């Protein structure tokens, strides 16, 4: 028995040309002492560091205590069959190269051993040169599998690293893009006392409704940004039209409607904002199909667009204009409810009604006025 393991008799390790212990370690398991010692001495002569065990229990104990590169195990042993040792050995040492020895040419047993992870299956009496070649093949295959796993792991880690870097870069680009567009929106609204803070309020209320309707957090935040940016296209509309106190002519109204297209022209090249575009493009569509720019109807309109349409209308009616005083929130809800199913999505209108009448988010209404 080895002085380093109470369950495995150790044969002195071979040394290489510079006096260091050989790195290949093999555990030989056979209930016949003459066979395990003969195999052990032969493998030692080939440069392996060899330990031997006389049964499966001792082999598993040795594997638990020490590292081995290969296991040469007899199939038929008292107490625990080799086919029972193999899966438990691989569980202890997943990188172990396993070779089975048997005196019986039994195809089902061989199949079972290989199915449990053995790399080779040799018949007794085995030629020692053949055994040495089999061990070398198994160890080489083990090394290749380890190297492949290491390469795959490094690739996964590199991909994960690059993906995270790309995600951070995209997030930064999105933040910069949003900041620039938000600055343009704020600059436009700053010129009009009646519109100041409109986009911020629309974004905040749209996010609140989206949350109340059970949308996921990322969709809620996307809609908050969509609301903040939805009117960016008005920067391309003459201020005289936007500030006109009287009714717009048909030609003037057609020109004002162009703000949706202008907004899409501004935002589309900013790829980090791609998820916000459907809501922004659809925020003037109507449930009955009478809106613009594409005359979509019902659920053809993106949910974000339907939410923005309701919130945009609510904020416009509750805001002071040069030509009228604001309606109260309750008056506005009553007026908008009459158009649910025509101009507005009934489900979105109901969520807005509950939010306003339940006074759960009225701070959004007065915010930034």
């Amino acid at each position: 028995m080895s002085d380093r393991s109470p369950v495995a008799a150790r044969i002195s390790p071979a040394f290489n040309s510079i006096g260091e212990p050989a790195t290949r370690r093999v555990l030989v398991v056979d209930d016949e002492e003459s066979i395990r010692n003969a195999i052990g001495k032969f493998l030692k002569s080939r440069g392996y560091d060899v330990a031997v065990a006389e049964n499966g229990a001792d082999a598993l104990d040795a594997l638990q205590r020490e590292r081995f590169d290969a296991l040469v195990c007899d199939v038929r042993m008292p107490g625990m069959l080799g086919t029972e040792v193999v899966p438990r050995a691989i569980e202890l040492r997943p990188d172990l190269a396993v070779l089975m020895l048997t005196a019986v040419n039994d195809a089902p047993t061989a199949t079972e051993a290989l199915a449990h992870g053995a790399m080779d299956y040799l018949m007794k009496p085995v030629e020692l040169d053949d055994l040495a070649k089999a061990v070398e093949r198994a160890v080489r295959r083990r090394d290749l599998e380890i190297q492949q796993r290491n390469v795959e792991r490094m690739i996964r880690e590199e991909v994960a690293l690059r993906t995270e870097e790309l995600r951070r870069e995209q997030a930064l680009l999105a933040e910069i893009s949003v900041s620039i567009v938000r600055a343009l929106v704020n600059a436009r609204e700053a010129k009009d006392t009646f519109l100041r803070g409109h986009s911020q309020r629309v974004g905040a209320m749209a996010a609140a409704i989206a949350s109340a309707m059970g949308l996921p957090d990322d969709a809620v935040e996307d809609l908050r940004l969509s609301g903040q940016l939805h009117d960016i296209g008005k920067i391309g509309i003459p201020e005289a039209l936007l500030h006109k106190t009287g009714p717009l002519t048909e030609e003037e109204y057609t020109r004002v409607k162009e703000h949706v297209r202008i907004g899409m022209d501004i935002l589309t090249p900013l790829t980090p904002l791609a998820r916000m575009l459907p809501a922004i493009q659809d925020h003037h569509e109507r449930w009955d199909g009478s809106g613009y720019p594409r005359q979509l109807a019902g659920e053809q309109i993106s949910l974000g667009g339907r939410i923005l349409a309701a919130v945009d209308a609510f904020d416009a009616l509750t805001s002071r204009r040069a030509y009228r005083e604001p309606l109260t929130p309750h008056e506005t809800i009553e007026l908008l409810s009459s158009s649910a199913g025509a101009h507005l999505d009934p489900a979105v209108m109901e969520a807005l009604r509950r939010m306003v009448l339940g006074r759960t988010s009225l701070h959004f209404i007065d915010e930034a006025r």
Side-chain angles (χ1 to χ4, degrees):
M1 289 291 184
S2 168
D3 57 354
R4 283 177 283 177
S5 172
V7 296
R10 174 163 300 285
I11 298 174
S12 299
F15 288 82
N16 62 24
S17 60
I18 59 174
E20 295 179 349
T23 57
R24 299 302 189 190
R25 307 192 64 219
V26 181
L27 177 61
V28 178
V29 189
D30 199 299
D31 60 313
E32 295 186 42
E33 183 178 6
S34 59
I35 294 178
R36 65 176 179 266
N37 286 340
I39 292 176
K41 289 178 180 178
F42 173 75
L43 292 176
K44 174 188 173 254
S45 72
R46 290 299 183 97
Y48 292 99
D49 180 10
V50 182
V52 297
E54 63 182 61
N55 55 57
D58 284 358
L60 294 175
D61 188 52
L63 287 168
Q64 192 165 24
R65 293 170 180 271
E66 304 179 58
R67 179 194 62 81
F68 291 93
D69 300 292
L71 171 69
V72 179
C73 185
D74 189 19
V75 171
R76 299 192 180 278
M77 298 182 293
M80 183 183 296
L81 294 175
T83 49
E84 297 173 294
V85 173
V86 172
R88 295 176 61 179
I90 293 177
E91 183 177 358
L92 288 171
R93 301 289 177 181
D95 293 327
L96 192 66
V98 179
L99 300 91
M100 304 300 296
L101 295 176
T102 182
V104 180
N105 188 3
D106 182 0
T109 302
T111 300
E112 182 182 0
L114 294 172
H116 282 113
M119 293 184 177
D120 211 339
Y121 188 89
L122 306 173
M123 291 291 299
K124 293 180 181 178
V126 62
E127 292 290 336
L128 293 179
D129 283 341
D130 292 340
L131 175 62
K133 291 176 183 177
V135 171
E136 183 60 30
R137 284 197 305 270
V139 170
R140 187 181 301 114
R141 176 179 165 187
R142 165 191 176 273
D143 290 346
L144 290 173
E145 290 177 351
I146 292 173
Q147 290 172 13
Q148 182 178 355
R149 285 200 299 273
N150 288 339
V151 169
E152 291 172 350
R153 175 181 55 77
M154 288 189 291
I155 291 174
R156 287 195 301 270
E157 291 174 353
E158 181 65 20
V159 169
L161 178 62
R162 291 298 304 141
T163 300
E164 177 59 23
E165 290 176 352
L166 180 60
R167 187 198 64 77
R168 288 197 296 267
E169 291 169 1
Q170 290 175 334
L172 178 60
L173 181 58
E175 184 178 346
I176 293 172
S177 299
V178 170
S179 297
I180 292 172
V181 178
R182 189 184 287 131
L184 292 174
V185 171
N186 292 339
R188 185 190 65 80
E189 291 185 357
K191 297 179 181 180
D192 189 336
T193 303
F194 301 111
L195 289 179
R196 192 170 300 154
H198 168 71
S199 296
Q200 289 292 331
R201 292 192 300 272
V202 169
M205 288 192 68
I209 290 178
S211 181
M213 294 181 71
L215 272 64
D217 291 345
D218 57 346
V220 171
E221 291 309 309
D222 285 350
L223 198 51
R224 186 189 309 278
L225 285 176
S226 298
Q228 293 173 2
L229 308 181
H230 75 288
D231 270 347
I232 181 62
K234 286 184 178 178
I235 200 169
I237 304 299
E239 292 186 18
L241 287 182
L242 297 176
H243 299 159
K244 185 176 180 179
T245 57
L248 297 174
T249 66
E250 184 175 344
E251 182 180 354
E252 290 171 336
Y253 182 53
T254 298
R255 183 70 185 277
V256 169
K257 289 194 295 184
E258 281 289 295
H259 80 275
V260 176
R261 179 191 59 76
I262 295 171
M264 294 299 292
D265 288 345
I266 293 172
L267 298 175
T268 298
L270 304 177
T271 54
L273 304 182
R275 297 197 308 273
M276 292 73 167
L277 297 185
I280 293 172
Q281 186 175 30
D282 294 350
H283 78 278
H284 278 296
E285 301 288 357
R286 292 183 173 182
W287 186 253
D288 62 4
S290 63
Y292 65 88
R294 295 182 291 168
Q295 292 78 51
L296 302 180
E299 294 186 359
Q300 291 179 323
I301 308 168
S302 64
L303 179 55
R306 286 178 261 156
I307 292 174
L308 287 185
V311 173
D312 192 29
F314 179 88
D315 190 78
L317 291 170
T318 56
S319 298
R320 181 176 287 102
R321 293 291 185 265
Y323 51 89
R324 63 164 174 80
E325 290 298 308
L327 298 179
T328 68
H330 286 224
E331 290 171 340
T332 302
I333 288 298
E334 183 177 349
L335 179 61
L336 292 179
S337 294
S338 65
S339 65
H343 295 175
L344 303 177
D345 178 350
V348 172
M349 187 60 229
E350 176 60 20
L352 176 61
R353 187 191 68 80
R354 287 198 308 270
M355 187 178 73
V356 173
L357 300 186
R359 304 187 66 84
T360 57
S361 298
L362 289 185
H363 63 283
F364 292 127
I365 299 172
D366 297 321
E367 188 178 73
R369 289 200 187 284

